[in-house]
Amino acid sequence: MSKVKLNLIAAACENMGIGINGDLPWRLKNEMAYFTRMTTNVQDKNKVNAVIMGRRTWDSIPPKYSPLQDRLNIVLTRKVEAIREKVPEGVIVLSGIDEAIEYIEEHKNIESAWVIGGSSIYKLGMDHANCDKIYLTEIQKTYESDTFFPDIDKDKFKLITEDNVPTERQTENRIDYFFRIYKKVC
Ligand SMILES: NC(=O)c1ccc[n+]([C@@H]2O[C@H](COP(=O)([O-])OP(=O)(O)OC[C@H]3O[C@@H](n4cnc5c(N)ncnc54)[C@H](OP(=O)(O)O)[C@@H]3O)[C@@H](O)[C@H]2O)c1
């Protein structure tokens, strides 16, 4: 098995909704800043992290933030040739999660691999042998959604804490949420 570990990072509301109409169901600036910090920070300043996403999540990134800066953007699609023609230089388009892992393995300047959605890509990441942790922001409210985070098998993933992730309740625009981390234990 390759040594590349996959971290998932997502924000989900009480019904596990993560998206609606190709967008997020909420606007939470500090939560977005957390996503940026977690996916960007590296220990070795000569390296970058990779963010792996489905083609629809790629399409959902507002133009001024696309590609996600200071990270290697990897887009998964079944139409590799067509999408490759459309993305800016430096964005990697691949046909599946194993191809992404192989790419990361071959590029030693990549420090960590973050799976950033959407639904089916989270599922691929979560079920993959290389999956290590799920960073899930649990928003304490229900939003109308058409895209959902897959069920987490609580026998397989256990809650942990890390020094760089606050455990206390976060409140923004009167919306409460918690930063949770689930680690695969078997
Ligand atoms: N709350 C959060 O944390 C969060 C995070 C990410 C996204 N979102 C939201 O989620 C929504 C987008 O997610 P989504 O679930 O609709 O789409 P998605 O997973 O981002 O993208 C789906 C696309 O990925 C490609 N794909 C899927 N499985 C594949 C496989 N096995 N191999 C190769 N390519 C594959 C296909 O692209 P082609 O059609 O090109 O073949 C498919 O149409 C948006 O609303 C977005 O705002 C929320």
Side-chain angles (χ1 to χ4, degrees):
M1 187 180 84
S2 107
K3 289 192 293 290
V4 174
K5 288 180 177 174
L6 297 175
N7 294 316
L8 275 59
I9 186 162
C13 60
E14 277 177 343
N15 55 346
M16 296 311 271
I18 60 167
I20 185 145
N21 299 329
D23 200 354
L24 298 175
W26 48 77
R27 283 279 169 270
L28 296 170
K29 221 174 146 202
N30 296 339
E31 204 289 320
M32 194 55 87
Y34 170 76
F35 166 83
T36 302
R37 170 169 77 83
M38 296 303 286
T39 55
T40 308
N41 276 3
V42 282
Q43 283 178 355
D44 180 342
K45 297 292 173 204
N46 296 314
K47 295 190 176 186
V48 290
N49 294 331
V51 283
I52 304 168
M53 71 197 92
R55 195 264 310 155
R56 287 210 287 265
T57 293
W58 164 258
D59 285 344
S60 79
I61 303 171
K64 70 170 175 171
Y65 298 115
S66 180
L68 296 176
Q69 69 175 14
D70 302 325
R71 287 149 285 181
L72 176 77
N73 288 227
I74 300 179
V75 181
L76 303 187
T77 175
R78 297 191 177 89
K79 301 170 237 158
V80 171
E81 295 311 318
I83 304 298
R84 242 176 221 159
E85 282 176 18
K86 290 187 194 164
V87 301
E89 210 185 316
V91 173
I92 307 300
V93 179
L94 297 170
S95 60
I97 196 108
D98 287 318
E99 287 74 8
I101 290 173
E102 199 177 312
Y103 183 94
I104 291 164
E105 189 118 277
E106 284 167 2
H107 291 77
K108 301 297 175 202
N109 63 324
I110 300 172
E111 188 169 282
S112 306
W114 291 89
V115 175
I116 64 164
S119 261
S120 54
I121 308 302
Y122 283 137
K123 179 78 179 137
L124 286 176
M126 196 189 285
D127 291 345
H128 201 282
N130 292 37
C131 183
D132 185 33
K133 286 181 267 185
I134 302 168
Y135 291 77
L136 184 66
T137 300
E138 296 179 354
I139 300 171
Q140 311 292 293
K141 195 177 161 178
T142 296
Y143 289 84
E144 190 192 348
S145 306
D146 59 19
T147 314
F148 297 86
F149 195 79
D151 286 342
I152 300 175
D153 180 347
K154 299 286 166 66
D155 292 328
K156 206 164 143 190
F157 290 94
K158 297 291 179 197
L159 270 178
I160 62 160
T161 58
E162 285 180 351
D163 290 347
N164 61 339
V165 175
T167 52
E168 65 274 14
R169 181 174 60 222
Q170 310 290 308
T171 305
E172 197 175 353
N173 309 339
R174 282 183 284 168
I175 297 152
D176 292 339
Y177 56 87
F178 293 89
F179 297 128
R180 304 282 196 217
I181 312 167
Y182 294 91
K183 185 169 169 62
K184 194 160 87 176
V185 290
C186 59

